[in-house]
Amino acid sequence: MKTNFQLKKVDFIFNNENDWEEVLSKNLNRSRQDIINELISSELKGRGGAGFPTGLKWKLSADANDETKYVICNADEGEPGTFKDREILSKVPFKVLTAMAICAYVIGAKEGYIYLRGEYFFLQPEINNAINEFEYYCKEINFDFSIKIFMGSGAYICGEETALFESMEGKRGEPRNKPPYPSSYGYMGKPTVINNVETMAHAYTICNYGAKRFYDLGVQYSRGSKLYSVSGDTPKPGIYELELGMSLSDFVDEFGDGDTKAVQVGGASGFLVPRKKFNETTIGYQGKLTGISLPTGGSMMLFNSSRSMYNVLDNYLVFFHEESCGQCTPCRVGCQQLLKGIKSVKNGQKNAQYLDKLLQLAETMQFTAKCGLGQSVANSFSSIVENFREEMIY
Amino acid sequence: MESKIKIKINGETVEVEKGTSMLEAAKQVGVIIPTLCYHKDLCVAGNCRVCVIEVVGQKRLSPACATPCEDGFEILTNSLKVRNSRKYILELLLSEHNADCTRCYKNGNCELQRLASEYKIMEQDFIRLVPFKNYTIDKFSPSIIKDDSKCIRCQRCVRTCAELQGVNALAVAFKGDQMKITTFFEKALNDVICTNCGQCINHCPTGALVERNYIEEVWDAIADKTKHVVVQTAPAVRVGLGEELGFEPGTRLTGKMVSALKHLGFDAVMDTDFTADLTIMEEGTELLTRLKKVLVDHDPNVRLPMATSCSPGWIKFIEHLYPEHLDILSSCKSPQQMFGALVKTYYAQARKINPDKIISVSIMPCTAKKFEANRPEMHDSGYRDVDYVLTTRELAIMIKQAGIDFNRLEDMHFDRLMGESTGAGVIFGSTGGVMEAALRTVYEIVTGREVPFEKLNIIPVRGTEGIREVSVKIENPLKEWAFLDGIELNCAVAHGLVNAKKVMNSIISGQTNYHFVEFMACPGGCLGGGGQPIPTSPEIRQKRAEAIYAEDAGMPLRKSHLNPEIIKIYKDFLGEPLSEKSHHLLHTKYVKRGM
Ligand SMILES: Cc1cc2nc3c(=O)[nH]c(=O)nc-3n(C[C@H](O)[C@H](O)[C@H](O)COP(=O)(O)O)c2cc1C
Ligand code: SF4
């Protein structure tokens, strides 16, 4: 298995080397196809969770035949243990705005929105100042594009793209059926590109430095760098930009406290990796090389041996059973059953074999839930129960 | 044939229209996929997940209702994975559901119960969640009981209230395990803008929404020998009742229904169709009076159009949503309430019965009628005009309880005095029927000639379009109505409150200049009413409509003003339409309710 044998720190996102006005003007003078090709060849994948190829996403919306289209930047950042989008928006907002404008140019949109997590209200004035300055420049160069902030109101599910559209349309934030996908039927039923804040920031890097510099980082299927929000039992919590494709043991060497028992990769909807699997686990997008460990939002939570894995799982399930939108059966009822189920096993009301029924339930949720929330509960549930079964029972 | 694609369902190749849902495609090859949140009347939600199927090559299962077929798809509807998932989903639903089936009003007509039975969900491995929930039962409405412990959150009621009715009294609130279907600030249905139309009941797959039933009260009244129990039956009941008793939709059972009611022990069985004819006399005259006031007298206090007032769901709707526009309503009571007021006056006098001793019962396709009978205004006879309102469904329950073998019943006639009707009265049960009946009479009053449509069938007002318009030109009127000469009488028909809303908005904004508009709360009119047999669907309503129009076509008299009992009641009791007595007994006022 090829991995980078040591962590490579990268500084694309937060560096101040460049001038966004120049990057914007430069790209508005390129052909749309040229930009799409650049993105496609960079192999940038969405950093908001699902890892969809960004170049293809832009292309699909660009190809959609409609007068009105939208660009939306997903800054809902609701995944527990993730706090990198906040950092990007407060430190380098112009990179995000610029990437949104380039996207708008590519697909033919005139309006953009930043869907900002409700708890980040304090960022709003600063971002608005940046938007004003940005829009002023757009006017100067005769580029017709405006950006508005839409404040979320605290529901985790509203980070899911179609629930996000519903919520922006003034409706209850419930995920829609897919298909149709946002590229043809998004906000207001119009073709929409929705990208995570970090995805936009990487798109900026690529539009600025070219695809190659980005592509050169990482491993097959997982190119470029990624921001990680490191938390838990670590002496150095914080946000780090690292090359994709690192091995988890290298990561733990760097960030662990010497007693790391497990790492939760990708937040509550990600996977728990136990110490015995650190060596064989690579952090990257799904593919032959990397196995299962999607970084999703890039949350890396370290647990040392003082932690109860039962409590960790209980915590996640409490989160999911409250944050499920409640619309679909497997997720709404399944989360309640998983939560009550592990309690019953712990307190002896149900025998240990009941965990197997719960594992099957989690798998059923993965197959049948309507959106990514319900589908990914099985990730943490199964990886914790399978790796720490004794801790669930005794 | 460009738009055709080929897919395989359980190995069988089938050609379908592009965009066809997997559910529809499966139906085409005779494969039935179970559903719960899906309903033909509503947009697709895809939230119950019971209809999941496997697309070969995909890891996740897809909801058949919400997934369009794509060329080359291979679909498995009964693979092990599908069956196991479906079972789990049903188990989950049941763990959250108060599955107290033997004590449930919907026992025997519950979609969840049926699936649980099909999939033989016998064991209860999952933890029962019901004891952990703070479920409420809302019993405050005279029409509807809402029991959250039976709710499976399919949102069919929410979609019904929004999409069909535009009322939005029911909505989803909270999230996660707390998610539920409730009202504004979780008030009782009685305290919100619910119109009591009962469409939510008709579309609920379980026992979460049911009518408030008065079956025991009516049995008690029948058993009470000191009471004279009179029953009236609405036009749409006779074409719906059969569905509850094992007949095909659209079976006409008027004579057998009368016979069954007599077997149940009612002292007199009469017909709401009679007061439907009476409504035409009153409302038709009222329309002509208003036309004269507006067109000749230029009376600033009178305005057009005039709107019909026989649908109590529509009445509560306009009272809530358009309280400033109640003056467009006809002042006529609904046929049910006219009947009630007459039973305890005209009928009591004629039969020499103390009205005190009369219990008046009505059988309605409608739950809003329960609310209507309960309105404080509805006591013009000096008593409560209608004591109990039963739905078509409740009547069927009584018939079954009484052990009546419906097939063996002889056809019988309604009792005299208020039991005679014309085809015009019958078609009140369908959207467009009131309009058609009114035009048959009004046109003839004005011109002395029959309305100029072949066989009196005013086809343009029939049908299923949500809003339909017809203009009838008045030519060579009788002298008295000379002011109407050459006028195009612009009429419109709306059914389903979402369409009522559209028409109201167009009237208020001045986009339309109607003279007369028929509004019915329910899709299809009363035949699709909230008290009719469950299930309902566009096809079933179509069958009922055909039955209604067949009933009309077969009647010897088809114009309200020719009904001999109508002629008699004006001669013996009321005097003439809009007389003082009519005003007292047959007309009413409305309440500004607001939001
Ligand atoms: C329950 C749930 C929550 C999500 N929350 C977020 C979020 O907070 N921020 C985000 O960027 N994407 C979130 N996503 C992913 C989005 O649906 C979507 O995939 C993403 O915004 C696409 O952008 P990308 O292609 O740049 O990753 C969430 C998905 C799910 C299922
Ligand atoms: S999976 Fe959960 S969050 Fe997603 S639609 Fe279903 S209930 Fe809602």
Side-chain angles (χ1 to χ4, degrees):
Chain A
M1 191 176 292
K2 177 199 173 293
T3 59
N4 303 56
F5 290 103
Q6 43 175 260
L7 297 187
K8 196 191 262 172
K9 294 202 175 157
V10 181
D11 186 21
F12 276 156
I13 288 186
F14 293 113
N15 78 56
N16 282 328
E17 170 271 327
N18 41 70
D19 176 3
W20 62 268
E21 283 106 329
E22 210 181 288
V23 175
L24 180 60
S25 310
K26 180 171 81 186
N27 278 281
L28 294 183
N29 284 321
R30 298 169 76 181
S31 80
R32 295 174 165 82
Q33 192 56 49
D34 196 24
I35 298 175
I36 289 174
N37 290 344
E38 186 93 56
L39 275 171
I40 290 178
S41 59
S42 77
E43 292 191 14
L44 169 63
K45 290 182 179 171
R47 301 298 199 232
F52 192 82
T54 306
L56 180 59
K57 189 180 266 191
W58 289 23
K59 179 175 160 42
L60 287 171
S61 285
D63 290 348
N65 202 355
D66 208 309
E67 286 283 292
T68 314
K69 298 181 185 178
Y70 298 100
V71 178
I72 295 175
C73 174
N74 189 344
D76 197 44
E77 191 154 61
E79 189 64 53
T82 327
F83 37 90
K84 42 123 189 150
D85 294 342
R86 180 184 64 193
E87 198 75 358
I88 298 174
L89 283 172
S90 48
K91 289 207 174 130
V92 287
F94 284 102
K95 291 194 180 180
V96 175
L97 303 181
T98 304
M100 288 176 73
I102 296 172
C103 176
Y105 163 69
V106 167
I107 69 167
K110 293 195 167 51
E111 284 173 60
Y113 291 91
I114 297 175
Y115 190 96
L116 189 62
R117 176 183 169 134
E119 289 86 339
Y120 293 172
F121 62 89
F122 59 90
L123 286 180
Q124 204 180 357
E126 276 176 59
I127 303 175
N128 265 329
N129 285 343
I131 290 175
N132 286 341
E133 191 182 333
F134 185 79
E135 286 180 344
Y136 184 82
Y137 180 72
C138 287
K139 251 188 219 115
E140 249 179 18
I141 61 169
N142 276 327
F143 181 61
D144 180 11
F145 182 58
S146 68
I147 298 178
K148 288 191 196 70
I149 296 181
F150 187 97
M151 290 306 293
S153 39
Y156 170 58
I157 192 58
C158 289
E160 194 281 340
E161 52 200 18
T162 59
L164 183 148
F165 301 146
E166 292 284 299
S167 127
M168 282 180 67
E169 290 171 16
K171 291 180 257 174
R172 184 182 156 82
E174 282 187 355
R176 301 173 180 166
N177 291 301
K178 287 191 249 182
Y181 295 97
S183 53
S184 61
Y185 191 91
Y187 174 53
M188 295 302 205
K190 297 294 176 186
T192 304
V193 163
I194 176 162
N195 273 131
N196 173 253
V197 176
E198 186 189 342
T199 313
M200 289 293 183
H202 286 301
Y204 177 93
T205 301
I206 293 160
C207 290
N208 183 23
Y209 297 143
K212 185 161 186 317
R213 301 221 24 219
F214 184 85
Y215 182 88
D216 283 347
L217 293 174
V219 294
Q220 196 184 3
Y221 303 119
S222 301
R223 296 292 172 186
S225 58
K226 168 93 193 78
L227 283 185
Y228 294 96
S229 310
V230 181
S231 66
D233 297 317
T234 168
K236 341 185 232 191
I239 294 162
Y240 301 88
E241 185 176 355
L242 303 171
E243 184 178 7
L244 272 172
M246 66 185 171
S247 114
L248 193 55
S249 52
D250 290 343
F251 175 83
V252 172
D253 285 349
E254 175 80 22
F255 292 98
D257 62 358
D259 181 29
T260 306
K261 171 183 180 181
V263 181
Q264 178 78 15
V265 179
S269 42
F271 295 83
L272 183 104
V273 185
R275 184 185 293 150
K276 62 175 185 280
K277 292 185 185 161
F278 287 169
N279 264 325
E280 62 194 73
T281 304
T282 313
I283 305 302
Y285 294 90
Q286 200 114 25
K288 283 195 192 88
L289 284 177
T290 47
I292 54 167
S293 282
L294 269 160
T296 60
S299 150
M300 302 293 275
M301 210 179 284
L302 294 93
F303 300 109
N304 68 20
S305 56
S306 73
R307 302 290 163 185
S308 149
M309 284 304 147
Y310 173 85
N311 286 351
V312 169
L313 178 56
D314 179 74
N315 218 311
Y316 290 153
L317 291 174
V318 167
F319 173 77
F320 283 128
H321 103 299
E322 281 170 5
E323 292 300 332
S324 155
C325 79
Q327 98 171 279
C328 78
T329 312
C331 174
R332 181 189 66 249
V333 195
C335 288
Q336 297 174 61
Q337 289 293 353
L338 293 179
L339 178 63
K340 291 216 156 49
I342 61 161
K343 273 194 205 315
S344 297
V345 171
K346 193 79 181 171
N347 67 26
Q349 281 173 0
K350 294 263 186 197
N351 61 23
Q353 279 83 306
Y354 191 62
L355 287 175
D356 299 323
K357 171 121 187 163
L358 295 181
L359 284 168
Q360 265 186 38
L361 168 60
E363 194 184 33
T364 306
M365 289 165 68
Q366 189 181 10
F367 293 155
T368 61
K370 185 167 178 176
C371 85
L373 190 152
Q375 289 159 7
S376 59
V377 173
N379 297 351
S380 51
F381 185 85
S382 306
S383 58
I384 294 178
V385 170
E386 278 162 4
N387 289 304
F388 293 94
R389 196 175 169 102
E390 332 72 58
E391 284 197 39
M392 299 299 118
I393 303 168
Y394 303 107
Chain B
M1 300 299 267
E2 246 187 310
S3 61
K4 290 263 182 182
I5 55 170
K6 269 201 184 118
I7 58 161
K8 258 192 191 166
I9 299 176
N10 301 338
E12 191 175 331
T13 304
V14 55
E15 241 192 18
V16 295
E17 210 61 47
K18 198 170 175 215
T20 308
S21 75
M22 296 178 175
L23 186 69
E24 279 304 315
K27 210 175 275 169
Q28 289 180 22
V29 290
V31 174
I32 292 157
I33 296 172
T35 56
L36 282 172
C37 69
Y38 176 82
H39 195 288
K40 269 209 160 160
D41 284 337
L42 307 172
C43 80
V44 169
N47 60 33
C48 77
R49 316 306 277 184
V50 161
C51 71
V52 286
I53 51 96
E54 183 173 355
V55 179
V56 174
Q58 292 183 7
K59 187 170 164 210
R60 280 204 290 270
L61 303 178
S62 301
C65 68
T67 317
C69 296
E70 278 176 43
D71 204 19
F73 265 18
E74 271 192 59
I75 296 167
L76 302 175
T77 69
N78 192 33
S79 66
L80 192 64
K81 188 168 169 184
V82 167
R83 224 175 19 252
N84 285 342
S85 299
R86 222 173 251 163
K87 255 189 128 151
Y88 262 78
I89 289 167
L90 285 170
E91 276 186 60
L92 289 176
L93 282 172
L94 288 166
S95 77
E96 205 187 28
H97 178 80
N98 178 14
D100 191 6
C101 294
T102 56
R103 268 185 285 264
C104 179
Y105 189 66
K106 284 288 282 295
N107 188 4
N109 190 7
C110 167
E111 295 179 36
L112 180 63
Q113 189 187 44
R114 197 169 62 236
L115 284 183
S117 153
E118 271 174 26
Y119 282 80
K120 294 294 166 235
I121 310 290
M122 315 287 288
E123 66 262 51
Q124 171 140 43
D125 277 356
F126 286 133
I127 295 163
R128 278 195 73 226
L129 298 173
V130 180
F132 297 95
K133 307 247 170 182
N134 216 348
Y135 285 129
T136 48
I137 303 185
D138 174 1
K139 287 185 177 170
F140 293 103
S141 155
S143 301
I144 300 173
I145 295 176
K146 176 171 169 286
D147 179 353
D148 288 349
S149 76
K150 306 281 175 63
C151 173
I152 58 167
R153 281 83 163 168
C154 66
Q155 304 189 29
R156 264 156 61 163
C157 57
V158 175
R159 282 175 282 151
T160 300
C161 200
E163 292 166 24
L164 301 181
Q165 302 301 66
V167 173
N168 298 299
L170 292 169
V172 182
F174 309 109
K175 59 186 167 50
D177 60 326
Q178 304 293 316
M179 181 269 207
K180 64 165 146 184
I181 313 303
T182 185
T183 54
F184 187 60
F185 277 114
E186 300 197 72
K187 291 188 195 175
L189 275 174
N190 211 25
D191 289 334
V192 296
I193 57 170
C194 166
T195 65
N196 301 300
C197 73
Q199 284 303 317
C200 55
I201 298 178
N202 270 12
H203 291 85
C204 177
T206 69
L209 286 158
V210 297
E211 65 266 24
R212 170 125 172 215
N213 82 78
Y214 298 87
I215 296 172
E216 289 310 318
E217 285 85 343
V218 172
W219 279 132
D220 287 349
I222 290 174
D224 185 344
K225 288 293 159 244
T226 67
K227 299 287 194 222
H228 181 83
V229 189
V230 178
V231 68
Q232 55 167 318
T233 64
V237 177
R238 63 207 66 187
V239 297
L241 181 63
E243 292 163 39
E244 292 279 349
L245 301 168
F247 294 85
E248 282 298 307
T251 312
R252 291 154 53 198
L253 293 167
T254 316
K256 284 194 189 338
M257 176 185 72
V258 175
S259 179
L261 287 164
K262 299 219 160 165
H263 277 84
L264 292 179
F266 287 103
D267 296 301
V269 180
M270 296 190 290
D271 201 356
T272 317
D273 293 16
F274 163 77
T275 32
D277 280 335
L278 189 61
T279 301
I280 290 303
M281 301 308 293
E282 294 290 326
E283 201 168 86
T285 315
E286 186 184 2
L287 174 65
L288 290 172
T289 312
R290 285 202 197 183
L291 285 171
K292 179 155 185 290
K293 280 188 181 156
V294 172
L295 299 174
V296 181
D297 308 341
H298 303 290
D299 184 337
N301 297 319
V302 179
R303 76 194 247 242
L304 292 171
M306 186 175 91
T308 61
S309 56
C310 31
S311 166
W314 149 244
I315 294 298
K316 188 147 184 279
F317 179 80
I318 186 174
E319 288 177 335
H320 279 298
L321 269 78
Y322 302 96
E324 304 309 320
H325 300 278
L326 298 179
D327 57 330
I328 70 164
L329 288 171
S330 156
S331 62
C332 286
K333 286 181 183 171
S334 74
Q336 163 179 280
Q337 292 306 136
M338 287 194 182
F339 194 101
L342 291 173
V343 156
K344 296 195 180 179
T345 53
Y346 174 60
Y347 176 83
Q349 285 163 30
R351 293 281 184 268
K352 302 198 171 52
I353 303 169
N354 183 349
D356 209 9
K357 297 273 176 279
I358 296 181
I359 297 285
S360 118
V361 177
S362 70
I363 315 288
M364 293 286 141
C366 180
T367 48
K369 294 276 180 201
K370 291 174 189 268
F371 171 86
E372 183 186 37
N374 209 26
R375 289 175 73 118
E377 308 89 273
M378 297 300 175
H379 288 73
D380 289 329
S381 61
Y383 304 87
R384 182 171 152 136
D385 295 340
V386 175
D387 293 293
Y388 301 112
V389 179
L390 304 182
T391 59
T392 310
R393 297 187 290 263
E394 289 164 79
L395 172 59
I397 292 169
M398 291 182 74
I399 290 172
K400 288 183 203 162
Q401 287 177 347
I404 295 170
D405 181 351
F406 211 75
N407 278 302
R408 292 177 52 176
L409 292 176
E410 300 276 311
D411 282 356
M412 291 179 82
H413 284 294
F414 287 104
D415 290 320
R416 294 285 145 209
L417 205 64
M418 292 162 53
E420 188 78 62
S421 77
T422 68
V426 174
I427 57 175
F428 260 61
S430 172
T431 168
V434 177
M435 177 61 65
E436 181 164 349
L439 288 176
R440 285 181 194 171
T441 289
V442 168
Y443 191 89
E444 203 162 315
I445 291 176
V446 171
T447 64
R449 303 183 306 274
E450 280 198 342
V451 74
F453 288 88
E454 200 183 331
K455 297 201 179 127
L456 295 174
N457 296 334
I458 310 182
I459 301 297
V461 298
R462 299 185 184 180
T464 53
E465 282 285 297
I467 299 166
R468 305 184 296 281
E469 296 178 332
V470 64
S471 292
V472 179
K473 187 158 191 183
I474 310 259
E475 277 166 331
N476 301 322
L478 299 174
K479 219 197 266 149
E480 192 185 343
W481 306 104
F483 71 92
L484 289 172
D485 196 9
I487 277 197
E488 290 262 6
L489 205 57
N490 298 324
C491 304
V493 167
H495 62 126
L497 290 171
V498 77
N499 294 313
K501 203 184 226 174
K502 286 183 203 153
V503 171
M504 278 308 289
N505 292 342
S506 79
I507 291 170
I508 291 165
S509 69
Q511 276 167 297
T512 49
N513 58 340
Y514 300 129
H515 296 100
F516 187 36
V517 186
E518 175 204 291
F519 290 96
M520 291 196 192
C522 291
C526 309
L527 59 86
Q532 288 284 67
I534 300 170
T536 182
S537 71
E539 293 76 27
I540 292 175
R541 294 194 293 273
Q542 180 63 33
K543 290 266 161 43
R544 294 177 191 159
E546 283 161 15
I548 287 234
Y549 287 110
E551 189 96 353
D552 165 41
M555 301 282 273
L557 299 174
R558 297 179 61 218
K559 295 178 283 192
S560 299
H561 53 278
L562 298 185
N563 182 338
E565 287 184 353
I566 292 291
I567 296 166
K568 181 174 160 61
I569 196 174
Y570 278 116
K571 188 162 115 308
D572 294 354
F573 187 69
L574 293 171
E576 56 180 12
L578 305 188
S579 69
E580 211 182 302
K581 206 163 202 167
S582 291
H583 260 298
H584 173 58
L585 290 174
L586 309 182
H587 292 256
T588 189
K589 288 194 173 61
Y590 305 101
V591 182
K592 284 187 185 184
R593 293 180 201 270
M595 295 299 273

